[in-house]
Structures are given as C-alpha cells and as structure tokens.
Amino acid sequence: MTPTSRPVRRSLPFLLAGVSMIGPFSIDAVFPAFPLIGDRFGVDSTGLQQMISTYLITYAVMSLFHGAISDAVGRKPVIVTGMLVYALASAGAALSTSYPMLLSCRALQGVCAGAGLVVGRAIVRDSLEGPAAQQMMSRVMLIFSIAPVIAPIVGAQLLFLNGWHGIFWVLLGFTLMLALALIVFLDETHPVAARTPFRAGTLVRGYVNFGKDRPFWPLLISCSVNFAGLFLYISSAPHIIRDLLHLSAQGFPWLFLPTVAGLMTGAWISGRLAHRRSAAYTVNLGYGFMLLACAAHLLMGLVTREPLLPWSMLPLVLHGIGVQIAFPTLTLLLLDRFPQRRGGASSVQAFGSLLMCAVVAGVLSPLLSGHMVYLALGASALTLTGWFAWRWYGRLTQQPRVPHTATAEVDVDMQTEITEPR
C-alpha cells in the first residue's frame, strides 16, 4: 500500500501532538519551581539551569538512536516504550532526595522524551506524501503549540498544591494515559518488509551517507537553528519574568501566551499554504516573519531601558509565526533526502536541533539574559544563520538558469522534492 493510499486515523494528529508535547512541557513546566528547588537543594540559578541543559543533552544524544531503532523494530514499540520509561523517570524525579538524583531522573526523561518527536515525524512521512504530509505536520504542530503556554501555567498552579513534586506527578500521569492511548489507537506504519536491521556499523554508515549528501547539510543547519532564536527567549523566561519584568511565578503567561499565539497562527498558515504555494515561498515567508521579529526586538531593546508590557513581548508573536510557517516544509525536505531511512534522518535532525537548544539553554541564555538587547542580538544571529543556510540549500538544488524561467524552475524543483525525493 502506498503512503498516499494508506488510511489515516483521525486520532493520529492528536496522538503525535501528545507525544511531541512531552519535550517542551518537560522544559517549561519546571520554570516556576526553580526558586523552590533551589531552596530545597541549596542550588543557585546557574546550577538550576543544569535541569534544562542535562535534559536536552540526553534528549539530543538518544535522538540519534530512536529513529534507527524504529527503522528496525517498527514505530509503535519505540514510542510506547519511551512513554512508559519516561513515566518511571518522572516518578523518580518527584521522589528525589538530592539534586544529583533529580538531575539523573531529568537525564532519563531526556533519553525517552525524544521517542515521540523523532518517530512521530517518521510516522507522518510513512503515512502521507506531498501537501497532505505538510498539512498533517502543520496540524500536529498546531496542537503541539499549546504545550509551552500550558506548561508554566500548570507548573505555577501546582506549586500551591504539592510544591515542585506535583509537576513530576502530573507528568507521570499524563505519560501513562498517553501510553495507553498509543497502545489502543496508534497503527504501525513501518511494515516488517521495509525494516532494516539495527547494527552499529550500519547506523554509522547511514549517518556517514547523510553527511555525503551536500543539500542535507544546509537543511540540517536551517532546521537546527529554526527554533533556536525563539528558544533563547523561552529558556531565559525565569530571568526575563523575575529579573527584568519583576513579576512573580504567575507572570510567565506574559511571555508564553504571545509565543504560543504565534506558533499556533504559523502552523495554521503553513497548513493553508500546503496546496497553494511552493516550498521556497513558504520557507522564505517564514524567515521574513522571523527577521522582522528580530528587528522589532532589537528596536524595543534599544529605545527602552527596561522591557515594557505588553510591547516588549509582542515580537514573540511574529517570531512564533515565522518558525511554524517554515518548519514543516524544512523538515519534510530534509526527511525526503533519504526516503528509505526517514527514521534515521529524523534522528539526525532532532539531534541537531536539541544540541543547539542545549547550547542556547546552557551557554547563551546565562550570558545574554541580563538585557533584552543582548537577547535580541543573540536571536538575530541564530535566525540569520538559518536564513543563510536556507539560501545555501537553494543554490545547491537550483536548476541551470534559463532566461525568464529560472525562478519558476527553482520553486518547482524544491516543491517536488517533497513528493518526488531524489
């Protein structure tokens, strides 16, 4: 059965959005609890940042294996097992009696959380082609986008019930329910006949082959830094809310509501563009929004001594729109460079993105979060890096120039890569 003829359950986007939400929810939900965790274990703000960077590093490293394992044993076993082990790690975090124990449980959460994100993208591409795949990816991202705004709000409210422990108990309950839903409703999309054995040598050779594909590199760079500029503000949320805006834990929605409004709007626009515009147009539009947001952030930072509500947060709407317009198309173009090893390609893409986010959370955020201008400059540098990588990809894949038709050929070429991979 071909991907276009395989029936797709209506529950699929909700299941994939649920497993994808685990990643951002695990990051953002603990932000309001930083002061309580610091007081409980005697850890300063720099040490508390390790809760994010440790999680992201293990998330990134294990993402190199989730896709390859799913190529060998199927998509469903990897996702279900990942959610069950994540639930176990959440219970350990809630019961932690020392900060090293808490960090160890956070590392185990990171090991498992990537299963949903990485394998979910492969499931989309297993099931659908062309504009339908882009629409499905956009629908998943539209639902997934509520996680960043729900997470800190839920985390802040749970502080009144059971302190910081309650955050991890909620994560335990959510992942157990999600695992049950996956067992009942998720269909296997990677048949036995299409599976490839999981061997270390084969895995390494597969990644080496990825590296030999020249267009794969600019797509990987562009995908990896696509979210990094916006994530710089997300990972700096405790400093922005408490130190720059001088708000309590209840002030996190000031940052996350504009962010999620932009992400949801961008995902909706991306789905609408799937049947109407070329891949090149869609990604260029996304970067246009992101660069406009960076310019607005920089302008606000220069003309005001301290951030002003709501004006200093409004550019996050534009940045979120741009990220979600560009991301589904960039991801599909990257996965289709290797249609027989989409799980592995998704692993590499997730590894690059998460490693970049770990650097942003562990290095750039502590360095730049003292002033909004510094954050604007950092976000601009990351966004420009992605834009130049995208332009590099365009030059590598464009057809020989013919007068009056060159531009159209480039657009058609990049659009057909989604439906007819090379």
Side-chain angles (χ1 to χ4, degrees):
M1 184 177 291
T2 64
T4 51
S5 62
R6 179 183 291 117
V8 177
R9 291 198 188 195
R10 292 182 178 180
S11 60
L12 182 60
F14 298 96
L15 292 174
L16 297 184
V19 294
S20 299
M21 286 170 64
I22 294 297
F25 202 97
S26 301
I27 296 170
D28 300 339
V30 300
F31 284 153
F34 270 21
L36 293 178
I37 296 174
D39 291 341
R40 170 64 178 84
F41 298 114
V43 181
D44 60 15
S45 59
T46 302
L48 288 170
Q49 202 71 25
Q50 294 177 16
M51 290 184 61
I52 306 301
S53 56
T54 298
Y55 170 83
L56 286 172
I57 289 171
T58 56
Y59 194 150
V61 172
M62 192 59 194
S63 291
L64 287 173
F65 300 93
H66 287 309
I69 295 172
S70 75
D71 285 338
V73 303
R75 314 298 190 204
K76 185 171 181 176
V78 176
I79 293 185
V80 172
T81 302
M83 293 302 99
L84 291 174
V85 178
Y86 182 97
L88 180 64
S90 299
L95 298 171
S96 294
T97 56
S98 66
Y99 196 59
M101 179 179 176
L102 179 58
L103 288 180
S104 298
C105 292
R106 288 288 287 173
L108 183 58
Q109 282 184 324
V111 167
C112 306
L117 180 70
V118 173
V119 182
R121 291 172 184 168
I123 289 174
V124 171
R125 203 57 190 87
D126 288 342
S127 306
L128 298 165
E129 290 184 347
Q134 183 178 335
Q135 283 191 320
M136 174 65 79
M137 190 78 74
S138 299
R139 289 175 64 190
V140 170
M141 299 307 293
L142 180 63
I143 304 168
F144 153 84
S145 296
I146 68 173
V149 70
I150 291 176
I153 294 174
V154 171
Q157 298 307 313
L158 290 174
L159 297 180
F160 295 108
L161 298 177
N162 194 27
W164 59 270
H165 305 84
I167 296 172
F168 294 105
W169 290 125
V170 168
L171 288 171
L172 166 65
F174 179 69
T175 47
L176 284 178
M177 290 190 296
L178 189 56
L180 178 61
L182 290 167
I183 292 171
V184 175
F185 297 109
L186 183 66
D187 296 322
E188 179 58 64
T189 63
H190 193 54
V192 175
R195 296 176 188 177
T196 56
F198 181 80
R199 299 189 182 95
T202 303
L203 183 64
V204 172
R205 285 193 296 272
Y207 289 153
V208 169
N209 288 335
F210 293 164
K212 292 179 179 178
D213 183 59
R214 290 185 65 197
F216 186 81
W217 283 102
L219 284 175
L220 178 62
I221 294 171
S222 191
C223 282
S224 298
V225 300
N226 175 260
F227 184 65
L230 185 60
F231 186 71
L232 179 58
Y233 289 95
I234 294 173
S235 61
S236 302
H239 295 287
I240 295 173
I241 298 301
R242 298 182 184 277
D243 302 331
L244 300 182
L245 292 174
H246 310 294
L247 301 174
S248 68
Q250 306 305 313
F252 280 91
W254 279 109
L255 186 146
F256 286 100
L257 279 173
T259 301
V260 173
L263 291 172
M264 295 182 70
T265 303
W268 179 81
I269 293 173
S270 177
R272 297 286 293 176
L273 293 175
H275 290 283
R276 295 172 172 83
R277 295 289 186 171
S278 68
Y281 177 92
T282 302
V283 177
N284 287 334
L285 180 64
Y287 272 109
F289 273 100
M290 284 185 270
L291 292 171
L292 181 60
C294 291
H297 271 302
L298 188 58
L299 179 62
M300 286 297 303
L302 291 173
V303 300
T304 59
R305 285 190 173 184
E306 292 186 348
L308 300 176
L309 293 176
W311 313 109
S312 295
M313 299 295 104
L314 288 181
L316 294 172
V317 176
L318 296 176
H319 208 135
I321 291 173
V323 167
Q324 290 292 62
I325 288 176
F327 185 74
T329 300
L330 287 171
T331 300
L332 292 172
L333 287 171
L334 184 140
L335 293 182
D336 282 348
R337 299 305 305 177
F338 296 90
Q340 301 304 317
R341 297 186 62 86
R342 290 184 182 123
S346 182
S347 286
V348 174
Q349 187 275 323
F351 174 78
S353 297
L354 292 164
L355 191 62
M356 177 59 65
C357 286
V359 171
V360 168
V363 179
L364 296 183
S365 176
L367 288 175
L368 303 177
S369 58
H371 199 288
M372 293 298 288
V373 170
Y374 302 154
L375 289 171
L377 290 172
S380 298
L382 292 167
T383 302
L384 285 171
T385 300
W387 165 247
F388 287 129
W390 168 246
R391 299 292 293 175
W392 175 22
Y393 170 76
R395 289 194 296 270
L396 289 176
T397 56
Q398 68 183 2
Q399 299 293 326
R401 290 191 175 274
V402 178
H404 307 298
T405 62
T407 302
E409 288 182 352
V410 173
D411 275 5
V412 170
D413 181 59
M414 284 191 281
Q415 180 65 42
T416 54
E417 282 198 40
I418 296 180
T419 55
E420 299 176 10
R422 298 175 180 180

